[in-house]
Amino acid sequence: MPPAHPFDFDYSRADDSDDKLKEECGVFGVVGASDAANFVALGLHALQHRGQEAGGIVSHDPEQGFNSARRFGYVRDNFTKASLMETLPGPLAIGHVRYSTAGSKGAVIRDVQPFFGEFSMGGAAIAHNGNITNADALRKELIERGSIFQSSSDSECIIHLMARSMQRNIPERMEDALRRVEGAFSIVAMTRTKLIGVRDPLGVRPLVLGKLEGDGWVLSSETCALDIIGAEYVREIEPGEMVVITAENGVESNFPFRRQNSRFCIFEHVYFSRPDSIIGGRSVYETRRQIGVELAKESPVDADLVCPVPDSGTPAAIGFSQESGIPYAMGIIRNQYMGRTFIEPTESIRNMGVRLKLNVNRALIKGKRVILVDDSVVRGTTSRKIKEMILDAGAAEVHFRIASPPTAWPCFYGVDTPQRDKLLAATMTEEEMRQHLTVDSLKFISLDGLYRAVGEAEGRNAKCPQYCDACFSGEYPVKPSDQITKGFELKAAE
């Protein structure tokens, strides 16, 4: 969101956050619970890490019909107010937290989901996590045929495709629409009586099913959001599956798309998902700890301390410490109350962005050879500043160990990634990156090592990769049609 006042400068977004991949979006839905919107608000709060720009909730009440609220900012600042939640009655509701990956960047209320459409057989709302890679072509076609778009979001294409479908009911119209869509989508939608969940045939983005006491059912991007409302985790929605849920009939499942080999986003394991979530039956925390174990095996170094770059590097640092035998220490402390700071944004103050967020534990670091463990290196700006802070505190040596392979390619499936020439690994070798960051050593986990950490004992299957790892390998499971039209060049076949 843009500053509300020129002195109200958001350091959390202005500086080092530009050096991280942005967490796509989060979706959540509930059916069969009184005041379902309250459950959705709690679920969205648990999914806040997946999108901090804005959030929205649509609910349906048999007497009042559909109601919606869309707001900028955090869930806690909007959807905890009784005056707002009272406007969202009913036993059925869906919600969405957003970080813009397509459409206008920043605060544009018309781009905030869920989107709502009124059809001949009744209204429907839709919340989408992912990215449609042929959205430009679809949008052009739909506009030429008379569709009037209200937002710049790729997700709105689905509503217009549904409106033009000749199928008999809304779930069938959604199936019809999604057959035209390319890319990644995990969708939570609702009609007057039904909660609907769909994953694309590759299962790139996550979606899980949960059960509330009584007749209530839940759909969520992650299992951690089920925990906050006391819902029981049932299973993942399978790639290419559509579930239609009612309080009366429970879950009805079908597979409207051609079956394909799953290509779930491997970066969900590395960074996007909360460490207390479960993916594919595996604890995200345990996977990240195992990444650290693999890193220590692949790239050992003689040092005195293993320190995480908070908070995403913590589990991997613990694993590195356990495998290497080098003591783990909190050498960098995060300011938990970091937020918007009322200081004039001069250049000297702007450059303090990282220090406002992170501070070095000087007494611990001084004179030590330090291994810093972080989840990724994107542009490299944050890594350089953290290195400088560690050296300023008196460290003897600084060694970086990165819990993902080099990020050398942009993601087109729901992650906000810089252009390829802005990615450090796209223009530099590992040694050149080490020199650029001016550290004593720099090592990334190998792609095979990452696959072993997520449970693939034999590593990556080069002929048929088990995950989507395009940001590391440049091998896109779905061609990004719109980007290719704009001139993006795919990796040449080896």
Side-chain angles (χ1 to χ4, degrees), residues 371-382:
I371 301 170
L372 290 177
V373 180
D374 203 356
D375 60 89
S376 61
V377 173
V378 181
R379 300 174 190 263
T381 53
T382 303

Side-chain angles (χ1 to χ4, degrees), residues 104 110-112 115 139 148-156:
S104 300
R110 64 178 180 271
D111 287 340
V112 180
F115 292 133
R139 189 183 188 96
I148 301 173
F149 279 76
Q150 301 297 315
S151 77
S152 64
S153 171
D154 62 332
S155 309
E156 192 182 349

Side-chain angles (χ1 to χ4, degrees), residues 377-380 405-410 417-430 432-433 444 470-472 474 476 488:
V377 173
V378 181
R379 300 174 190 263
T407 303
W409 295 84
T417 319
Q419 292 182 343
R420 186 157 192 253
D421 59 2
K422 298 295 193 298
L423 297 169
L424 208 62
T427 58
M428 297 183 185
T429 65
E430 190 175 274
E432 287 170 340
M433 284 189 278
F444 296 80
C471 55
F472 308 131
Y476 292 92
F488 179 78

Side-chain angles (χ1 to χ4, degrees), residues 122-136:
I126 183 171
H128 169 214
N129 172 210
N131 229 46
I132 299 171
T133 57
N134 65 333
D136 289 351

